Amino acid sequence: MKPTVKSISIEILSPIVVTLMVLILGWFLYKTKALFLFIAYCLAQLFDNLITQFVIFGKSAESHPLEIFIIILTDGFLFGISEMILAIPVYTALKVISKEFLSEYKIMQRLKINL
């Protein structure tokens, strides 16, 4: 199933909408605790975005989460934010190609790359 513009926009806009809802509802229901509620929600979002997503991507691409983090970070620095979306699929494709076609070469065996 190919991602559509609608599905991508939902992935981008839904955290923004939910954050605004948390802020507005927190303000109306708990005026004194609204800031703490907002900070707690933002910390939970950061934990999800910075830690758990790399673990999930790592398991699906059969790579270490730190490896995924470095790939996305490097791709962002080299090619920009728009190309960070393609970092994991391109890396996975290159990994499969190198595993299938380059594993019998001595240089790869000397490097002891376990793909």
Side-chain angles (χ1 to χ4, degrees):
M1 182 179 196
K2 291 183 177 180
T4 62
V5 174
K6 188 176 182 180
S7 67
I8 292 172
S9 64
I10 289 173
E11 288 179 25
I12 294 171
L13 292 177
S14 62
I16 296 170
V17 170
V18 171
T19 304
L20 290 174
M21 288 173 57
V22 165
L23 191 58
I24 292 168
L25 285 174
W27 177 256
F28 284 118
L29 295 176
Y30 310 103
K31 289 187 183 189
T32 58
K33 297 179 184 178
L35 181 63
F36 295 116
L37 181 66
F38 180 69
I39 290 172
Y41 178 75
C42 287
L43 289 175
Q45 280 289 76
L46 285 174
F47 177 77
D48 178 49
N49 291 334
L50 297 178
I51 296 174
T52 57
Q53 285 188 4
F54 293 113
V55 172
I56 292 169
F57 287 151
K59 286 183 181 179
S60 66
E62 297 178 357
S63 300
H64 194 274
L66 182 61
E67 190 177 359
I68 299 297
F69 177 73
I70 292 172
I71 290 165
I72 292 174
L73 192 65
T74 305
D75 198 55
F77 280 128
L78 292 177
F79 303 111
I81 294 175
S82 62
E83 297 298 322
M84 288 173 68
I85 298 169
L86 298 175
I88 302 302
V90 169
Y91 170 72
T92 306
L94 289 175
K95 186 175 177 180
V96 168
I97 290 170
S98 63
K99 180 180 179 182
E100 293 298 322
F101 296 112
L102 303 176
S103 62
E104 68 259 4
Y105 290 107
K106 288 184 180 182
I107 186 92
M108 295 296 271
Q109 292 170 356
R110 275 191 228 145
L111 291 172
K112 297 185 182 195
I113 296 176
N114 187 11
L115 298 175

